[in-house]
Amino acid sequence: MRDIAVAALEDVKGEDILVLDTTKLTSMFECMIVATGNSNRQAKALANNVREKLKEAGAEILGMEGDVSGEWVLLDVGALIVHVMLPAVRDYYNIEQLWGGQKPTFNPTRPWEAAIQSHDDPV
């Protein structure tokens, strides 16, 4: 499933694709994939392509969230979780670090509008 999901992300030009083995960190799922889409439309297309390719391969899709806005789309396939995020959202939440991965480096000259709250702002 992991390889099918990565290939589906690559087909739609997903960026900064990171595959994390989570078997030693949680029993909830075995693998997490995080990828970046450069627009809401692309993020939705990436997640939809992963969903369709996994369904074709016989995987059961347990859930999909965030596909309306496209800022952060989560695809739950049981043993596999796929996150497709806009760069600002991915930068802000930095879920890679929570799960033992490396955060990608984003281009700071590009305006990201999805994450409104600054890291320095009080919660």
Side-chain angles (χ1 to χ4, degrees):
M1 282 194 306
R2 178 192 69 215
D3 294 341
I4 293 169
V6 169
L9 290 166
E10 290 172 342
D11 285 346
V12 188
K13 308 291 187 232
E15 296 181 4
D16 300 313
I17 300 169
L18 177 66
V19 178
L20 297 169
D21 179 352
T22 58
T23 54
K24 295 180 181 173
L25 301 173
T26 183
S27 61
M28 293 173 30
F29 47 89
E30 298 170 8
C31 181
M32 176 189 298
I33 300 173
V34 185
T36 300
N38 285 312
S39 68
N40 300 63
R41 175 178 258 167
Q42 185 191 23
K44 291 189 266 186
L46 286 161
N48 283 328
N49 197 44
V50 171
R51 181 183 62 200
E52 292 307 312
K53 296 295 183 183
L54 289 173
K55 282 170 73 174
E56 288 173 11
E60 180 183 358
I61 308 302
L62 300 177
M64 188 163 166
E65 296 182 23
D67 53 324
V68 173
S69 73
E71 291 181 4
W72 179 350
V73 185
L74 176 119
L75 185 61
D76 182 355
V77 193
L80 173 68
I81 301 293
V82 179
H83 296 274
V84 181
M85 309 166 94
L86 293 181
V89 175
R90 187 168 177 183
D91 184 47
Y92 182 78
Y93 288 101
N94 191 13
I95 63 172
E96 296 91 346
Q97 185 177 13
L98 293 173
W99 293 95
Q102 291 293 324
K103 180 178 180 179
T105 304
F106 295 106
N107 182 352
T109 61
R110 192 167 174 187
W112 305 119
E113 299 171 356
I116 297 170
Q117 184 177 9
S118 167
H119 291 279
D120 298 329
D121 290 346
V123 176

